[in-house]
Structure formats: structure tokens, C-alpha cells
Amino acid sequence: MSHHRILTKLHLIAIFLSVITKYEPAEKKSSLQLLTQQCRYDTEVLCPGCFSASINCDFFENFLTLDGNELLEGIMHCINQHGVRYGTLNDNKQRVVIRNLNKDGAVRALSDEICDEIGTSGTEECRLKNEEPYLRALRRRVLDENLVEGAVICPSDEEVLRRLLLEIDGHELSKMLLLKVNVQPLLLKMLHERGFPVPKLVFQGGFTVVETYEGQSLVNFYDNSLNVRLMIANELIKASLKFTNGYNGFRFYLTDMSLDNIVVRILSSKEVKLSFVDLNNVIILDSHNRRLNPHAHTHSRIDCDGCFAYVQNDICSYEKSDINLYAVCQLLLEDLNGDSSRGFLHNLDDNPNLVTIQSLLQNCVYCSPPHCENRQAILQRIQTIIRDVVYNV
């Protein structure tokens, strides 16, 4: 493409942006009203039985300001793969993320499917209710062993589901629906108060949630100084161990540990904060279940062009898996195509300690089970080296 054509396109874009900016005030108000209206539709029409009558849908207009030019934000919202927008709470000016859980009409599609099954399709009764026929149909779908994305419950039996639901406040219908559609708000409620590196849930209005803003995507830190990247690596290791150990017998295996799903905030020259912000693709395993193999599962590297591959049945069959630990090793060593120049800890210098880190990561990713060194021990050795290099401990 010629320079003239490029300049022409840029000029047209500039004109377009100047025109839409002119209408920012009206559009901003309209966007907030739409969030309020969507909340009311979700709670009064789409699934009244899912929510408490006390939900204040006016929260969006009364307590929230959306970032920047709202028409631009709306365009970015449409193309953002996570369906998120950004804003500020009016009272304390805290930045927040607004996330849509009901993408592509997932709730309506699920409701129609269940209504077809129980014989209420095409009637006014075709709404999900907190009643046994609807709950029974939802349980079967939540415990579907053939699920390959979303929240996977292991082992897939009703006792595990019952124990999990007891960990979360709310209606059984709402909890199971979110397990099927988007488990994000449930996990934030469960994990944030227990010190896991996840955002705090600020508000849920229907199938729209407001979470605390926790920083920039990990990809923005790939070219930061080595010290910053080592501090972030240390936090990634801590997080992988925490999710693996879980709490009250539940372990959380993050099967989409991508650069977009991890955010970072630099607090000082010696401290960074890391959060996992998209938790929908997760395996929740009840390690107390007696059906599980009591031995540990060691994940094997599976060649996959630009993706993270695993055998779900293996993870769901053992009392414990090291897949989170493997995923962090791989992220630090290489990208999903095996390119070590694109690993987060790329370009390690000739410091002998850092060469050791490279060797440990190589062993962690490319060993052949069952002859792998314990990955927790590997990562703890890397943490010790990081403390020596960064914190001079």
C-alpha cells in the first residue's frame, strides 16, 4: 500500500473520531442507561428466579462512570474478546472492570434447551426456576464429563457439586447457572477473601459484573527490566502453587493461563502485584473425593500449534496434578509455539544464577514423565535464586 493511501486512510479515521467525539456526552449517558436496562431485563425477565429482589440495577447510573469516550469504548467492547469495559466508581474513584457474562445469548440458549427437555418450551413458563425439574436438568449439564471449556467439575458427581455449592452464598439456581455459563463471579467470591490473586467482586447486576481493576496485561511487561520480570515470575510461581493447593480440598487448575488473562501492577522497585482476571476456563477438583487416584499426576508436554494442550481425563483422575506448575514453567521459558526468545524470562544474561534458572525451566517443560523432577521443587529453587538476585536475601 502506498504512503499516499495510508495517509488518506489515517485522515478518514481522524475525521471519523472527531465526529463521534462530538457526541460523547449523550452517548456516555446512553451507555450507562443500557447497562441499567440490561440488569433489569436479566433480573426481571430473563431469569427472575436467579437473583435476589434486592439487586439495585440503578448502581450503574448512580455509582459508575465509564472511561473516556463512550462510543469509542463501545467499539472496543465489541471487538474485545473478553467483552469488558472500564470505568470508575464515583464515590472513591477506584478503577473497575465491567464484564458481560452472558455473551452470545448463552443464558437464553440454555434456558430454551432446558425448557424443551422438561416440556415448557413455547409457554410463559419457559424461564429457569429454582425448582427441582430445572435444577436437575442444570446439574446434568454442569456435571457433563464431555465439557472441554468453561468450569469443569471433577470428579463429576453430585456430591462434589453439593460440596462446592456450599462454599458460595446465593440461590442454587443462580450458582449452577453461572457454573455453566461463566463461573467468574463465583470464583471471585470464593477466592478473593482467601488471599488468592484475583480481583474483588464489587457488584453483580444480572449477568453483568463489576470487578476491581488490577493492572495491565502481562504482555505489556515483556520488555521490562530483568529485575521486574523476575519479580513477576516469582509471583506467577506463588500463584501456581496457591491455585494447585487450593483450599478446603478444592484445587483450581487454570487451563487458559494466557497473557491476556494475567495482569500486573508495579507497586515499587521491590514489589509487584499479579492477578488472574479471566477464570472461566478452570477445572475445579475435589481432592477429598475417594474416587481419585491418590498418586500425583505429572503433566506431559503435548505439541500443539499455538495452544495449550492437556488430557482432561488425566487431571480429573488424580488427587493432585502439577499442570499449573508446568504452565508457569512454559510461560517463563517459551511461547506456545516453543519459541524461547518469546518466553517471559527471555534474554537471560551470563549471570550463573540466571543460567541455572534457564536450565531448571528447560527441565520442567521438556522432561518425560514419569522421570520428571518434582516441579514444585524446581519452582521453589527458582524462587530462591530470584530472591538472591532481586532482593539480595
Side-chain angles (χ1 to χ4, degrees), residues 232-252:
I232 293 172
N234 187 56
E235 294 303 310
L236 282 167
I237 293 170
K238 286 165 58 177
S240 71
L241 294 170
K242 192 166 184 66
F243 281 113
T244 298
N245 292 329
Y247 82 92
N248 197 19
F250 290 106
R251 305 187 193 278
F252 304 91

Side-chain angles (χ1 to χ4, degrees), residues 71-239:
L71 190 52
L72 286 175
E73 287 293 315
I75 294 171
M76 295 305 295
H77 170 69
C78 291
I79 64 176
N80 187 305
Q81 64 173 319
H82 297 296
V84 301
R85 306 175 87 160
Y86 300 91
T88 306
L89 297 181
N90 294 338
D91 56 352
N92 60 10
K93 304 306 177 185
Q94 181 180 28
R95 289 207 70 203
V96 292
V97 177
I98 303 98
R99 188 183 300 274
N100 172 28
L101 306 177
N102 184 23
K103 295 194 68 179
D104 303 320
V107 175
R108 171 55 64 195
L110 181 61
S111 179
D112 289 345
E113 180 184 314
I114 291 176
C115 286
D116 285 341
E117 178 181 324
I118 65 178
T120 58
S121 181
T123 71
E124 291 185 0
E125 297 300 313
C126 184
R127 292 178 178 174
L128 294 177
K129 298 180 180 179
N130 201 41
E131 298 173 0
E132 188 53 34
Y134 299 90
L135 297 176
R136 186 164 53 245
L138 259 176
R139 287 189 201 103
R140 283 198 298 272
R141 286 161 174 80
V142 169
L143 294 173
D144 183 358
E145 294 188 34
N146 296 315
L147 288 176
V148 293
E149 62 179 11
V152 175
I153 311 299
C154 296
S156 57
D157 64 47
E158 293 208 10
E159 176 56 28
V160 173
L161 179 59
R162 185 195 67 80
R163 209 170 82 79
L164 178 64
L165 294 177
L166 288 174
E167 297 288 339
I168 316 161
D169 294 331
H171 298 300
E172 183 176 359
L173 174 62
S174 175
K175 292 185 286 188
M176 286 204 299
L177 182 59
L178 290 172
L179 280 170
K180 181 63 179 172
V181 173
N182 193 314
V183 74
Q184 178 86 359
L186 300 186
L187 289 182
L188 296 190
K189 289 178 184 177
M190 292 171 66
L191 300 178
H192 181 268
E193 64 184 29
R194 294 175 172 88
F196 284 75
V198 300
K200 179 181 179 181
L201 182 65
V202 176
F203 177 75
Q204 180 178 347
F207 297 105
T208 302
V209 294
V210 180
E211 311 163 2
T212 53
Y213 173 83
E214 298 296 337
Q216 292 182 297
S217 169
L218 184 62
V219 71
N220 293 293
F221 297 86
Y222 258 57
D223 295 322
N224 273 53
S225 70
L226 181 58
N227 266 22
V228 169
R229 287 184 288 126
L230 286 171
M231 287 192 294
I232 293 172
N234 187 56
E235 294 303 310
L236 282 167
I237 293 170
K238 286 165 58 177

Side-chain angles (χ1 to χ4, degrees), residues 270-284:
K270 295 293 185 180
E271 185 180 8
V272 299
K273 181 182 179 182
L274 176 145
S275 292
F276 288 77
V277 295
D278 192 335
L279 300 169
N280 192 38
N281 289 304
V282 60
I283 294 175
I284 304 173

